[in-house]
Amino acid sequence: DSYWEKRYVKRDKHVASFLADKDVVEKILNTGKYLTVLRECGEAKTVGLPVAADGLAVAADGLAHHDASAQDAATGQAGRVGPGVLSYSSNTRVYAQLVHEAYTASSHRVLDLLVKQKQLLHRLHSVKRYFLLEQGDWLVHFLDLAHEELSKDAAQASKTRIESMLALALVTAASGDQERDNVSCSLVASSALEEVLYVISI
């Protein structure tokens, strides 16, 4: 929530007068968020956004780059500017359409990045398996192995020994899951009740 809501701010006084439609302004803001995500994930490539009349295409790095091929493709016969080209128009609906195209292209790229490249669904299934205990036998095995160590205070318990027992429990109960290597543990000074209350307060 902090990443999306607090990192980006919409300043109404800086919004162009011809973009009075709140839906269009919201799409512009979200498109910028999506492009930032793509850039930070190393996907700083052109995202099929509208091309300016002078051939400048907006890329995921937030900069404008000259794209002659895009300009040629978007220019119709007799030098007329075709769809997808950003140029001045007294019809504000033209800008709304271009903003919608940019929003759709960038959102599709982010969705493709999360679902296909980063395997979001597979990772969510791992969260279901381990955190939500869809397959709880690994936890039972881990508690049996680490019972003595977990009975100690956090300051006296050995994190190295606990991690070794956790790895052994995961290998035994979830040998076919590639995500098991990403499961780790940490020792905190607060009690279980305090942790639950903190989660509820978020």
Side-chain angles (χ1 to χ4, degrees):
D1 291 343
S2 297
Y3 183 90
W4 289 113
E5 303 300 332
K6 297 181 180 179
R7 185 174 180 179
Y8 305 92
V9 177
K10 179 181 65 176
R11 303 184 186 276
D12 293 332
K13 65 179 181 180
H14 293 160
V15 176
S17 58
F18 56 84
L19 295 175
D21 190 337
K22 292 183 179 180
D23 183 57
V24 173
V25 175
E26 196 66 26
K27 285 184 177 180
I28 293 175
L29 178 63
N30 288 330
T31 300
K33 294 178 181 180
Y34 297 152
L35 293 179
T36 301
V37 170
L38 292 171
R39 182 188 64 212
E40 293 183 350
C41 291
E43 296 292 319
K45 301 176 183 178
T46 301
V47 192
L49 302 186
V51 181
D54 59 357
L56 292 178
V58 180
D61 57 6
L63 303 177
H65 302 277
H66 187 77
D67 190 349
S69 61
Q71 182 183 15
D72 295 340
T75 304
Q77 296 179 351
R80 293 186 303 171
V81 178
V85 174
L86 184 61
S87 59
Y88 173 76
S89 173
S90 59
N91 185 358
T92 57
R93 287 181 296 180
V94 172
Y95 298 108
Q97 177 61 29
L98 292 175
V99 168
H100 177 72
E101 292 175 3
Y103 171 78
T104 301
S106 59
S107 62
H108 283 176
R109 280 292 301 278
V110 170
L111 186 62
D112 180 74
L113 174 69
L114 293 175
V115 175
K116 295 182 179 179
Q117 297 185 42
K118 303 301 181 181
Q119 299 182 332
L120 176 62
L121 297 180
H122 179 69
R123 293 181 180 274
L124 289 177
H125 185 266
S126 293
V127 171
K128 180 182 178 182
R129 169 177 291 176
Y130 298 117
F131 186 72
L132 301 180
L133 301 182
E134 179 191 43
Q135 182 180 348
D137 52 343
W138 71 270
L139 180 60
V140 175
H141 188 35
F142 169 64
L143 293 177
D144 288 340
L145 291 173
H147 173 72
E148 181 178 349
E149 202 67 32
L150 293 175
S151 300
K152 301 177 182 179
D153 293 335
Q156 299 176 341
S158 171
K159 181 181 178 182
T160 302
R161 290 190 60 189
I162 294 175
E163 286 182 334
S164 298
M165 296 174 188
L166 175 62
L168 179 60
L170 291 172
V171 168
T172 304
S175 58
D177 188 4
Q178 299 177 354
E179 296 295 330
R180 73 174 187 272
D181 294 334
N182 294 326
V183 180
S184 62
C185 66
S186 60
L187 301 178
V188 295
S190 56
S191 66
L193 177 59
E194 291 173 332
E195 289 293 312
V196 171
L197 293 177
Y198 172 74
V199 171
I200 294 175
S201 66
I202 297 178

